[in-house]
Amino acid sequence: MSGNKISTLQALVFFLYRFFILRRWCHRSPKQKYQKCPSHGLHQYQDLSNHTLIFNVEGALLKSNSLFPYFMVVAFEAGGVIRSLFLLVLYPFISLMSYEMGLKTMVMLSFFGVKKESFRVGKSVLPKYFLEDVGLGMFQVLKRGGKRVAVSDLPQVMIDVFLRDYLEIEVVVGRDMKMVGGYYLGIVEDKKNLEIAFDKVVQEERLGSGRRLIGITSFNSPSHRSLFSQFCQEIYFVRNSDKKSWQTLPQDQYPKPLIFHDGRLAVKPTPLNTLVLFMWAPFAAVLAAARLVFGLNLPYSLANPFLAFSGIHLTLTVNNHNDLISADRKRGCLFVCNHRTLLDPLYISYALRKKNMKAVTYSLSRLSELLAPIKTVRLTRDRVKDGQAMEKLLSQGDLVVCPEGTTCREPYLLRFSPLFSEVCDVIVPVAIDSHVTFFYGTTASGLKAFDPIFFLLNPFPSYTVKLLDPVSGSSSSTCRGVPDNGKVNFEVANHVQHEIGNALGFECTNLTRRDKYLILAGNNGVVKKK
């Protein structure tokens, strides 16, 4: 008898929970269908090309449940060290707030006072961190959709380029921010405005005309359930526990390859990583100063052991039949390398233990030029003058040139300028790779004078220098008298590029310095003389 009473009570509780609690959260209509696993549930559709997929970015696309790293990137890159430290100190209190209040607080701390015209973090920095957090299974589901609509609680300026340019999402609905005089106030629009904007998009894009609207959102966060239930005929939920089993989207499956990105941080600034960064900062400053002073002033026989003891790892690989390094020649040897950081020529000099080396570069800060232990010469972008300058330097000794004209962090090689193939009959390709832990030693929009310092701030930076087989230049005796010598120049440059790319496992591209700076800094990369 008591068992029947308990079962009846359980059935009553389950009935009340299902028809009152779930109805209040989801605003479910009789025509709507709810399921929990979108990656499995959507496989029932052979073809999703005639359907519109509406998904929540934070709850259904990104693996991480925390938005702190993305706001820390904005605070550090757009606001500076003090702002990012302030955000870190307040994060324990933010974590105790509600989702909406915590989000608004992080927006305020990250964006307040930032100038809209100079804000490029959403285009040049954040896409890298978002792409590294995309779930593979969900991305494969979205690829099958005929039209994809992204809905996010994040500000539009943070997610728009990442979703449209790199994931090729057709429609992005984020939250706008209030501004005064071209500066962000750090205040996002209310969620009601987000619903109004989404309703407007549905009408303008005619999402419901002839297409079935399928929604994908988070099961653990009810923030978008009312929004999705108003427009979607079918809704799939993603649990936080499901995300733990997701695989990260591999780089070779990015719809658009991530070749260029900016910013100083090389590690994802989670709360723990950010705390470690600030704890490491005082020791990093002392270590970088010691590396700089002793590395520039000691002879190579003492500098190399000290740098290795301080944590810098340098690896040199020389082919057995490369005898040009120690050979006595009337002219210097031309070393042609890919460009990873401003320290490339210096590390070639360290690896070969040659202090009489010289380097040519397209742009170099005055500070780096003064501190460089080897002679550096700026190129003028005048082909005739630059060729004469390089020939003069070769008559004085060995010369290092980076024909890409700018650095590239990812495993890609930019187009090689063929000028180097005209000034020397024998060319030694040098494949260079570098790895850092905390900070990148390159920037497109920041102060280039600090590039070497940021590289030295890393606890264990590494450099790999590979000297490849010599290549004949277009000025060699075998190429003289060729009718179309310009074509030979490009062939030599492309050959050297492919040799270096094969040695490093990098992909060769036709992109140039101008392409990089247009994407990252909004200019053509030419520094105007005062």
Side-chain angles (χ1 to χ4, degrees), residues 387-419:
Q388 293 174 352
M390 293 174 65
E391 289 181 353
K392 182 179 179 180
L393 292 172
L394 279 170
S395 65
Q396 300 172 1
D398 295 334
L399 179 64
V400 180
V401 59
C402 304
E404 288 178 291
T406 188
T407 57
C408 184
R409 299 173 177 177
E410 295 299 316
Y412 296 92
L413 294 181
L414 308 187
R415 189 178 69 190
F416 278 27
S417 171
L419 178 62

Side-chain angles (χ1 to χ4, degrees), residues 34-50:
Y34 293 82
Q35 296 191 34
K36 294 182 181 178
C37 300
S39 58
H40 299 291
L42 287 173
H43 284 305
Q44 62 180 305
Y45 293 100
Q46 296 290 338
D47 185 14
L48 286 173
S49 59
N50 294 324

Side-chain angles (χ1 to χ4, degrees), residues 111-117 119 157 177-180 182-187:
F111 279 93
F112 179 77
V114 175
K115 192 175 182 180
K116 178 185 178 182
E117 184 180 352
F119 182 80
V157 293
M177 290 196 299
K178 297 181 180 180
M179 294 185 300
V180 171
Y183 289 86
Y184 291 117
L185 292 178
I187 302 175

Side-chain angles (χ1 to χ4, degrees), residues 512-525:
T512 63
R513 172 189 175 90
R514 184 175 181 271
D515 297 321
K516 171 186 171 179
Y517 278 85
L518 284 176
I519 294 174
L520 300 183
N523 55 60
N524 58 8

Side-chain angles (χ1 to χ4, degrees), residues 190-229:
D190 293 333
K191 280 199 171 183
K192 292 182 179 179
N193 295 330
L194 180 65
E195 296 181 3
I196 295 173
F198 184 75
D199 187 17
K200 184 178 179 181
V201 167
V202 171
Q203 295 178 5
E204 291 180 350
E205 300 289 337
R206 297 182 180 179
L207 299 181
S209 57
R211 291 175 178 266
R212 185 175 181 83
L213 302 183
I214 301 176
I216 308 174
T217 186
S218 173
F219 180 82
N220 302 84
S221 176
S223 59
H224 288 112
R225 291 187 182 181
S226 60
L227 176 65
F228 279 65
S229 61

Side-chain angles (χ1 to χ4, degrees), residues 250-304:
Q251 287 191 4
D252 57 0
Q253 295 190 31
Y254 289 175
K256 176 183 176 181
L258 181 68
I259 301 177
F260 302 123
H261 58 87
D262 204 9
R264 292 294 190 183
L265 294 178
V267 62
K268 185 177 180 179
T270 61
L272 180 59
N273 288 343
T274 307
L275 179 61
V276 172
L277 278 175
F278 280 103
M279 294 177 63
W280 166 248
F283 304 98
V286 176
L287 184 60
R291 288 169 173 173
L292 191 64
V293 172
F294 291 106
L296 296 180
N297 294 287
L298 292 178
Y300 287 148
S301 58
L302 298 177
N304 283 344

